[in-house]
Amino acid sequence: MRRKNVSLAAATLGLALAMAGCGNIKGTAAADQTKRTAEAAENTALTSEKSNETETVISADGESAVVDGDGASVDGKTITIEKAGTYRLKGSLTEGEILIKAGDSASVKLILDGFTITNSSDAPIVCESAGKLTIELSDGTENKISDLRSAASDSDENESGEEGDSSEEEKDAAVYSESDLLLTGTGSLSVEGGYEDAVHSKGELTVESGSYTLTASHDALNGKTALTVTGGSFAITAAEDALHSKGDLEVSDGSLTISAGDDALHSDKALTVKGGTISISQCNEGLEGMTVNVSGGEITVNSSDDAVNGSGETEDGTEAKISVNISGGSLKIVTGGDGIDSNGDLNISGGTIIIDGPGDDGNAPIDYDGSAVITGGTVLASGMSGMFQSFDESSSTQLVIVYY
């Protein structure tokens, strides 16, 4: 008869409550006045800067576009931006392209103000050169960017992959940027990545606010050097990874609803979740990185393979330091593979973890290759006992294992 097991580890609640407390903030009236004066000066400078900011307005009517201001030009249905500045985009443009060639030190901001663009032969928005590109969603507006190219074949993906740095590489996303890219604003944006990715930055990709609906035939959000989410709401459907980075990936806030064909969140280096709500309805693996750190947030994972996976290789071939570290937040897992799988160490010092583990003896609720230490938090794990592993004897939290 096959046996199932349940393991339960709980940190002492009283200790946690005892350590919580209030700090006292002391200060003088003079210090407060100095702070208020500095803040007022900063606000005045920001207001002055905003009032002096000049926008170039680009209005499209479906088949053509008109530029009112400096820094941009129109050739057919291609709008080229060659200077630093702020550009407000309105209307719709069919089979169009926004091409940014402003120089490596230029700061360019695109304000999408009820703007729609489609293209079936090339990427709709391409930033070839800028110091930083910001895409801001104007308050209350709905915007859409559609890459209608057919999904890339394996050979196409190799040609447009991350290995090369040639400017002749395929522009493989609906929004493609060679520079750092920031997404912000209080409007909404729908992005269709028909060819490969929805949004791809070859530098750092940061999302701080906005409402996004993303579909992609490859990855939805792809930041090559880093990917950071500090806010916003996301509905993501991706054939491969929902969030992907060859560098570090961090989520500190926001609401993400994800359906992914491969990994929901993938980092080649450190994957960190500090806050927010992440709901993964479908994926192969949920959270994957060389180091996986969870210190906050509410995470729900339904995975066909490992829900949380610490794995990876270094670029220089040296031994990778792999670990899964959970110190806070809540993690609810339903998995067909391992619940938590670390190809190195597993460290749990806080948080609440519930694992509905696999129904076959080839996987386990908890799996690790190094050490597994629990010093706090609560863990409830169930699953088949064929490959069951518990925590090390050096763990300081009480542990109960029940087989049935």
Side-chain angles (χ1 to χ4, degrees):
M1 177 183 296
R2 290 185 173 183
R3 297 179 299 171
K4 294 192 70 174
N5 68 76
V6 176
S7 66
L8 173 65
T12 304
L13 179 61
L15 178 61
L17 293 175
M19 295 182 68
C22 300
N24 295 321
I25 302 176
K26 297 181 180 180
T28 64
D32 290 342
Q33 181 60 42
T34 300
K35 181 179 179 181
R36 286 194 294 269
T37 301
E39 289 176 346
E42 182 179 357
N43 290 336
T44 300
L46 289 173
T47 302
S48 176
E49 181 180 343
K50 289 182 179 179
S51 63
N52 292 330
E53 187 179 74
T54 301
E55 292 181 355
T56 294
V57 178
I58 302 171
S59 302
D61 63 2
E63 300 300 323
S64 62
V66 176
V67 176
D68 182 8
D70 297 327
S73 61
V74 179
D75 182 9
K77 293 186 178 182
T78 299
I79 300 167
T80 303
I81 294 172
E82 296 183 302
K83 292 183 179 180
T86 300
Y87 301 83
R88 184 176 295 271
L89 299 165
K90 299 181 176 183
S92 63
L93 189 59
T94 304
E95 296 297 335
E97 184 176 51
I98 309 297
L99 180 60
I100 300 166
K101 304 169 67 174
D104 293 338
S105 62
S107 179
V108 175
K109 177 190 286 186
L110 303 182
I111 300 177
L112 305 188
D113 189 1
F115 181 67
T116 297
I117 185 170
T118 66
N119 198 315
S120 61
S121 60
D122 210 337
I125 295 181
V126 174
C127 178
E128 290 188 354
S129 64
K132 181 178 182 179
L133 172 62
T134 299
I135 297 180
E136 179 179 322
L137 311 178
S138 187
D139 185 34
T141 63
E142 296 181 359
N143 306 276
K144 187 171 184 179
I145 302 169
S146 298
D147 179 355
L148 302 179
R149 291 175 291 176
S150 299
S153 64
D154 291 341
S155 60
D156 291 331
E157 291 179 10
N158 291 334
E159 290 175 4
S160 62
E162 301 284 7
E163 298 302 324
D165 293 320
S166 170
S167 61
E168 298 301 319
E169 288 181 9
E170 192 88 46
K171 309 305 185 287
D172 61 0
V175 179
Y176 177 88
S177 179
E178 293 280 350
S179 67
D180 293 345
L181 173 59
L182 169 65
L183 303 180
T184 186
T186 52
S188 66
L189 175 61
S190 175
V191 182
E192 180 180 355
Y195 185 70
E196 281 196 23
D197 300 344
V199 180
H200 183 181
S201 169
K202 296 296 287 290
E204 297 182 4
L205 173 57
T206 303
V207 187
E208 64 179 18
S209 57
S211 178
Y212 302 89
T213 300
L214 309 174
T215 60
S217 64
H218 201 259
D219 302 332
L221 292 174
N222 187 350
K224 180 178 181 180
T225 60
L227 173 54
T228 305
V229 176
T230 62
S233 63
F234 304 82
I236 299 176
T237 302
E240 295 291 332
D241 298 346
L243 278 67
H244 178 95
S245 179
K246 294 183 79 65
D248 294 340
L249 191 163
E250 180 177 306
V251 177
S252 60
D253 203 353
S255 175
L256 296 90
T257 301
I258 294 171
S259 175
D262 196 6
D263 300 340
L265 280 68
H266 175 93
S267 168
D268 282 4
K269 294 184 179 179
L271 167 57
T272 302
V273 178
K274 296 181 177 179
T277 301
I278 302 173
S279 179
I280 304 167
S281 62
Q282 177 180 328
C283 66
N284 182 39
E285 295 188 333
L287 281 62
E288 183 175 59
M290 187 177 299
T291 302
V292 179
N293 305 304
V294 178
S295 61
E298 298 181 6
I299 306 169
T300 303
V301 182
N302 286 271
S303 65
S304 58
D305 201 351
D306 302 340
V308 178
N309 187 25
S311 66
E313 298 178 352
T314 60
E315 294 180 359
D316 59 6
T318 58
E319 183 179 0
K321 296 181 179 180
I322 297 171
S323 64
V324 174
N325 310 293
I326 301 174
S327 59
S330 67
L331 187 57
K332 299 178 181 179
I333 292 170
V334 177
T335 181
D338 295 328
I340 299 175
D341 180 7
S342 175
N343 293 332
D345 296 335
L346 171 61
N347 303 294
I348 298 176
S349 58
T352 300
I353 304 166
I354 300 174
I355 302 173
D356 184 354
D360 66 87
D361 283 332
N363 293 286
I366 296 173
D367 184 21
Y368 56 90
D369 292 342
S371 63
V373 177
I374 179 168
T375 58
T378 301
V379 179
L380 174 63
S382 68
M384 300 306 295
S385 59
M387 295 186 65
F388 177 77
Q389 289 181 283
S390 183
F391 295 94
D392 293 357
E393 293 181 357
S394 59
S395 297
S396 60
T397 295
Q398 292 179 344
L399 176 66
V400 177
I401 301 175
V402 179
Y403 292 94
Y404 66 90

